[in-house]
Amino acid sequence: MWRAFFIALGIMAIIIGFESLIIESADFYSNRGSSPKGLLDPSSIPGQTTTTWKPKEWFPWLVLSVGSLIVIYSFTLPKRFQTAG
């Protein structure tokens, strides 16, 4: 179970690292102030407040390397647990 958890965690970190390499910035919309009618109207703004996130230059490489190390470490987990007990 721990092995699968760490593999999933590492793969998610690798995906986030690749995505942040590709994007220049990301806009997060808040749902405050929006109504169901506004979702059906294409001319309305989806959210009243937006937050723009621009990843630093080092962020994608850090997340990719940490994700890769977690995946590599997770493949050694069964061997470590078998020799301990």
Side-chain angles (χ1 to χ4, degrees), residues 3 72-85:
R3 181 178 184 215
I72 291 170
Y73 175 75
S74 67
F75 284 119
T76 64
L77 280 177
K79 293 177 186 172
R80 290 178 186 221
F81 287 134
Q82 287 174 357
T83 58

Side-chain angles (χ1 to χ4, degrees), residues 14 23 45 51-52 61 64:
I14 291 171
I23 64 169
I45 299 173
T51 304
T52 302
W61 302 109
L64 277 170

Side-chain angles (χ1 to χ4, degrees), residues 50-65:
T50 60
T51 304
T52 302
W53 177 69
K54 295 181 181 178
K56 306 262 189 222
E57 188 176 334
W58 50 266
F59 179 77
W61 302 109
L62 174 75
V63 176
L64 277 170
S65 61

Side-chain angles (χ1 to χ4, degrees), residues 17-32:
F18 277 128
E19 285 181 355
S20 59
L21 266 176
I22 294 171
I23 64 169
E24 190 172 311
S25 66
D27 293 330
F28 296 104
Y29 293 99
S30 173
N31 62 357
R32 283 186 234 144

